[in-house]
Amino acid sequence: MILITGGAGFIGGNFVHHWFERCARLGLPEEPVVVFDKLTYAGNPHTIGEHLQAGRATLVQADIADREAVRQALAPHRPRAILHFAAERHVDRSIHGPGEFIHTNMVGTFSLLEEARAYWNSLEGADKDGFRFLHVSTDEVYGSLSDTDPAFSETTPYAPNSPYSASKAGSDHLVRAYHHTYGFPTLTTNCSNNYGPYHFPEKLIPLMILNALDGKPLPVYGDGLNIRDWLYVRDHCEAICQVLEKGRLGETYNVGGINEIKNIDVVTTICRKLDALRPRADGQPYESLITYVKDRPGHDRRYAIDPTKIQSEIGWKPAETFESGINKTVQWFLDHTDWIDTVRSGAYRDWLDQNYAERA
Ligand code: NAD
Ligand code: DAU
């Protein structure tokens, strides 16, 4: 089995779905997962509810910085791999309160590495040789690009600009050092902006979809010309599966969607999709809700990924274009008001108490 930290979050939750669908698609045995998640405001067991109820996923609610809890999870489950998604990851929140980011992303990753290393040292033979620790990180560790700079590659120097990206850079360095110093079998992926189902509605794309549907302003930071590379979340999940299978130990792999788009173009695309799928009652286009607001302090201008390494070494490339991915995403949010309501109301915590207290 595999242990997934942060598996009740956006990417980790999508990964759990992808994992079981992939097992079925490739005719592989259904390998169970343990989700190790603190269930912060961003964690939602509803996201993986069907797998928890079916018993192929088990939820351990705990903090990765709690070494005893990590030890207690590793000992009985004996995973062949740890996939480390858990993090505080919203840049705006890191500006208002960086402490949680240092706690989870740096202290938490350190604690997890220490316990994982002790566990790995207790393994023998093929179990030890086959063990993997895959660390999920971000392209933000490389800093900001100008319009003419080449895209980030795995050798781009680190230059993180926000407390969030600095804390992720710190975690990346720890992972690298554990491989270099202890021979611990690590893999690191640095990806661009994910989007898709189960995206917490504080991030650009889900926020714009839900604000538009509510008839609220669509707040675009600064001049709206910042550029992000957009990666459909299921493409990212498949990349992680392939790096887990084929990645070289100690290496990092950049994962991108090959979709560099200005923020304002992302927002207008969403508006036009909604105009077609859910026209406003007053007949006005959703674009009339766009409102330029004060910029984010230290706002990185552009991110872009050079995917040469993962394409040539691993053979992975994204399946979705931005057009196909955003169509799926907008439709998913229109179809899943139940999930949206649980996230917004906080009722998912009640659901947790109701369904999982006795299974803890
Ligand atoms: P998310 O906030 O949706 O999910 C994070 C999960 O981690 C949540 O379920 C939360 O409850 C859990 N968690 C937080 N602190 C914890 C702790 N101390 N102990 C245990 N669990 C804890 O985040 P996401 O968007 O799914 O991101 C997952 C990973 O991918 C992060 O490491 C992030 O840095 C990285 N990443 C995300 C993006 C993106 O666009 N979302 C892009 C690049 C990299
Ligand atoms: O590049 C990968 C990173 O992408 C991840 O490491 C982070 O975890 C993830 O949160 C994301 O960071 P961003 O800051 O790029 O994502 P966000 O959705 O917050 O913002 C995307 C862009 O949209 C950014 O330029 C800021 C802008 N924005 C965002 C919000 C929430 C707005 O213009 N208005 C908004 O209301």
Side-chain angles (χ1 to χ4, degrees), residues 1 60 80 100 102 176 199 223 277 304 316-317 326-327:
M1 55 82 61
V60 175
R80 71 171 174 95
E100 278 300 310
I102 304 304
R176 176 191 153 85
H199 205 179
D223 60 8
L277 292 166
W316 172 89
K317 61 178 184 187
I326 199 69
N327 283 342

Side-chain angles (χ1 to χ4, degrees), residues 120-142:
W120 171 67
N121 275 326
S122 75
L123 300 175
E124 291 178 348
D127 288 346
K128 187 166 190 181
D129 293 344
F131 182 80
R132 297 286 181 272
F133 182 98
L134 191 151
H135 173 59
V136 179
S137 192
T138 171
D139 60 359
E140 293 201 31
V141 297
Y142 300 119

Side-chain angles (χ1 to χ4, degrees), residues 201 205-216 333 340 344:
I205 287 179
L207 181 97
M208 294 298 165
I209 296 172
L210 299 189
N211 276 20
L213 292 172
D214 288 345
K216 292 181 181 164
F333 275 91
I340 294 160
R344 283 172 149 180

Side-chain angles (χ1 to χ4, degrees), residues 3 14 33 43 52 61 68 78 84 92 99 141 147 181 197 238 246 255 270 286 307-308 314 326 333 341 344:
L3 187 139
N14 272 285
V33 305
L52 295 171
Q61 185 183 358
E68 181 61 27
R78 301 185 62 75
H84 179 30
D92 294 319
V141 297
D147 287 348
T181 303
E238 178 58 23
K246 300 183 243 175
V255 188
I270 291 168
Y286 283 99
T308 307
I314 306 288
I326 199 69
F333 275 91
D341 289 344
R344 283 172 149 180

Side-chain angles (χ1 to χ4, degrees), residues 6-12 36-40 42-44 62-65 84-89 103-104 136-139 164 168 191-194 199-200 203 236:
F10 163 48
I11 305 176
F36 188 100
D37 197 302
K38 186 176 171 181
L39 299 183
T40 66
N44 184 351
D63 188 334
I64 54 167
H84 179 30
F85 294 89
E88 287 295 333
R89 55 82 193 96
H103 170 80
T104 290
V136 179
S137 192
T138 171
D139 60 359
Y164 160 67
K168 289 295 289 188
C191 70
S192 55
N193 286 57
N194 285 223
H199 205 179
F200 196 84
K203 312 312 290 287
H236 181 201

Side-chain angles (χ1 to χ4, degrees), residues 4 23 28-29 55 71 73 92 117 150 157-158 164 185 188 190-191 208 222-223 247 259 265 306 308 318 326:
I4 302 176
C23 288
L28 300 170
R71 203 174 307 146
D92 294 319
R117 183 168 70 91
Y158 274 34
Y164 160 67
T188 297
N190 294 80
C191 70
M208 294 298 165
D223 60 8
N259 281 312
D265 293 337
D306 174 353
T308 307
I326 199 69

